[in-house]
Amino acid sequence: MNTTWRIKNGRIIDPANKIDGIADLLVIDGRIAEPGQPIPADTQEIDAQGCWVVPGLIDMHVHLREPGDEYKEDILSGARAAASGGFTGVACMPNTKPVNDCAAVTALILDRAAEAAVRVYPVGAISQGSEGHQLAEFGEMQAAGVVAVTDDGRPVRDSQLMRRALEYASDFGLTVISHSEEAALSTGVMNEGPVSTRLGLKGIPTAAESVMVYREIALAEFTGTKVHIAHVSTAMAIDLIRAAKARGVRVTAETAPHYFTLTDEAVLGYDTNTKMNPPLRSEADREAIKAALADGTLDAIATDHAPHSILEKELEFDAAANGIIGLETALPLALALVRDKVFDAQRLVALMAVNPAGILGIPGGTLSPGGAADITLIDPEREFLYSTDQVVSKSRNTPFLGWPLQGRAVLTMVGGAIRHNLLA
């Protein structure tokens, strides 16, 4: 039996319904009630004074490592980390062991996710085994529950295969997510530039990203289908996406918090927690990403949550694995841009809730009456030190440990059930 909740005194921010103001929100039987509906006698109250009440955040790009690498993260631990970060839904990438390239693996993920703290949306592979040779069975995977397809972690090198993927996916209403990387150019371990020269590390040029972004845009424009560009890190790619959108190409794109927070200068200490793919770029790229988030060129903020154990990270920089965890730091890092007036609170909710739901074609992103009560309460002023003992994820690979952060999810509700609560 679901509890009835009255969330009172909060600032409700619901861009999809053009709502931004202090009001109460009633939740009955796991769903958002109509305004003015009588309040049941057994209703419990949540005082949201000083907080934002927003549609549950959705992270459209996470790696939950199950099946295959559960020692790094599993679906249940990743979902707990998501809830603590304010996310009510996550889309998990298919580069598991085995790869999620068939209905059986999709079904396994969803079976495990039935007990998860948040909603888990599997993303299927574009090619069998993500090896780039033959398309996976999109129809079977969609019927089993995938919401998009990608070979994330590997670029689709064969342009003909990518064209077919775009056309095939459109038949099933699936979004193709591109890991835009020209592998022949991407043989280094950090951004190519003055810092890589100073450190003696082999660099990855910005063209490694933009060359492939250009191809994806060209194929989407030629076929009339939609494509989504993952983890954008360069000004050059942003220019291409902006121009394509102006022409009416059906392209959307995301970036991750580390690309608007850090630059390749963070690598100066050879900390392997600053090693990721695409790599941290220059200050000019970081500024371009912030501008693109504000002007609509970039549609979403996604974490690219990539857990690794010390076995993969406590190595020489060249040998260490790429990637960092991000579910628990994404919101405060994004809120820093609101405080810096890069964009406003409405835009933040669009980037982290409304648009991810729309791109993936999944429920959520609104507080519309009748919809599932997936709700995040954000205290934009709450300060905390992101320390090891606070990390909920199984892994600790993040450059943000020890950072003082401001702004935090203080309550996460999924279908009317509280999954994370710092108000108690």
Side-chain angles (χ1 to χ4, degrees), residues 17 20 39 54 60 62 77 90 113 155 167 197 221 253 297 300 304 337 365 369-370 386 409:
N17 290 308
D20 187 348
I39 300 173
V54 308
M60 62 180 297
V62 304
S77 69
V90 296
E167 293 172 333
T197 300
E221 190 165 18
T297 302
D304 197 4
L337 299 188
Y386 186 55

Side-chain angles (χ1 to χ4, degrees), residues 91-380:
C92 56
M93 297 296 107
N95 58 337
T96 47
K97 300 175 183 175
V99 170
N100 184 15
D101 62 358
C102 63
V105 179
T106 303
L108 182 152
I109 291 168
L110 286 172
D111 181 66
R112 185 67 166 153
E115 301 175 14
V118 304
R119 304 184 194 278
V120 176
Y121 299 100
V123 177
I126 288 175
S127 63
Q128 294 177 18
S130 288
E131 294 177 349
H133 302 308
Q134 292 184 318
L135 290 179
E137 289 293 341
F138 293 3
E140 291 182 7
M141 289 192 297
Q142 188 222 28
V146 305
V147 298
V149 291
T150 184
D151 276 353
D152 186 65
R154 297 183 181 182
V156 177
R157 299 191 189 201
D158 187 325
S159 296
Q160 179 73 304
L161 189 75
M162 190 63 172
R163 173 191 174 177
R164 289 174 178 161
L166 290 167
E167 293 172 333
Y168 189 27
S170 70
D171 291 340
F172 298 99
L174 293 171
T175 298
V176 176
I177 301 172
S178 168
H179 175 107
S180 296
E181 177 185 16
E182 174 48 64
L185 289 171
S186 188
T187 57
V189 295
M190 68 169 294
N191 183 54
E192 182 178 303
V195 179
S196 65
T197 300
R198 178 178 170 186
L199 293 176
L201 294 173
K202 190 172 183 181
I204 300 171
T206 57
E209 177 174 276
S210 58
V211 164
M212 195 64 85
V213 168
Y214 181 83
R215 185 197 72 171
E216 313 304 42
I217 289 170
L219 289 174
E221 190 165 18
F222 176 72
T223 59
T225 57
K226 62 181 179 179
V227 69
H228 178 78
I229 310 297
H231 43 56
V232 173
S233 69
T234 66
M236 193 180 300
I238 287 165
D239 288 343
L240 291 168
I241 294 164
R242 185 178 287 118
K245 285 190 170 190
R247 296 197 306 274
V249 181
R250 298 172 65 193
V251 58
T252 54
E254 71 190 47
T255 193
H258 36 278
Y259 298 121
F260 58 72
T261 305
L262 301 173
T263 70
D264 55 1
E265 294 277 342
V267 185
L268 284 170
Y270 294 99
D271 180 2
T272 57
N273 288 324
T274 63
K275 186 183 181 187
M276 55 206 70
N277 188 29
L280 297 172
R281 302 291 189 178
S282 70
E283 177 63 18
D285 292 307
R286 188 176 80 95
E287 289 298 324
I289 285 170
K290 288 161 60 177
L293 287 167
D295 71 17
T297 302
L298 291 174
D299 302 273
I301 293 172
T303 66
D304 197 4
H305 177 80
H308 291 296
S309 77
I310 58 173
L311 299 174
E312 295 83 28
K313 278 295 191 180
E314 291 192 2
L315 301 167
E316 298 86 356
F317 199 91
D318 284 359
N322 289 308
I324 65 171
I325 59 172
L327 284 165
E328 299 164 64
T329 52
L331 179 58
L333 294 176
L335 283 166
L337 299 188
V338 177
R339 287 195 305 277
D340 291 343
K341 298 186 176 1
V342 175
F343 49 73
D344 61 15
Q346 289 260 351
R347 179 65 181 158
L348 175 76
V349 177
L351 289 164
M352 299 187 74
V354 183
N355 295 349
I359 292 166
L360 295 175
I362 59 176
T366 80
L367 296 175
S368 297
D374 292 0
I375 303 166
T376 303
L377 268 61
I378 299 168
D379 182 345

Side-chain angles (χ1 to χ4, degrees), residues 57-76:
L57 306 183
I58 297 170
D59 188 347
M60 62 180 297
H61 192 144
V62 304
H63 300 270
L64 297 182
R65 304 303 190 203
E66 185 176 6
D69 283 327
E70 290 86 351
Y71 70 98
K72 300 181 183 184
E73 192 82 281
D74 58 47
I75 291 168
L76 298 186

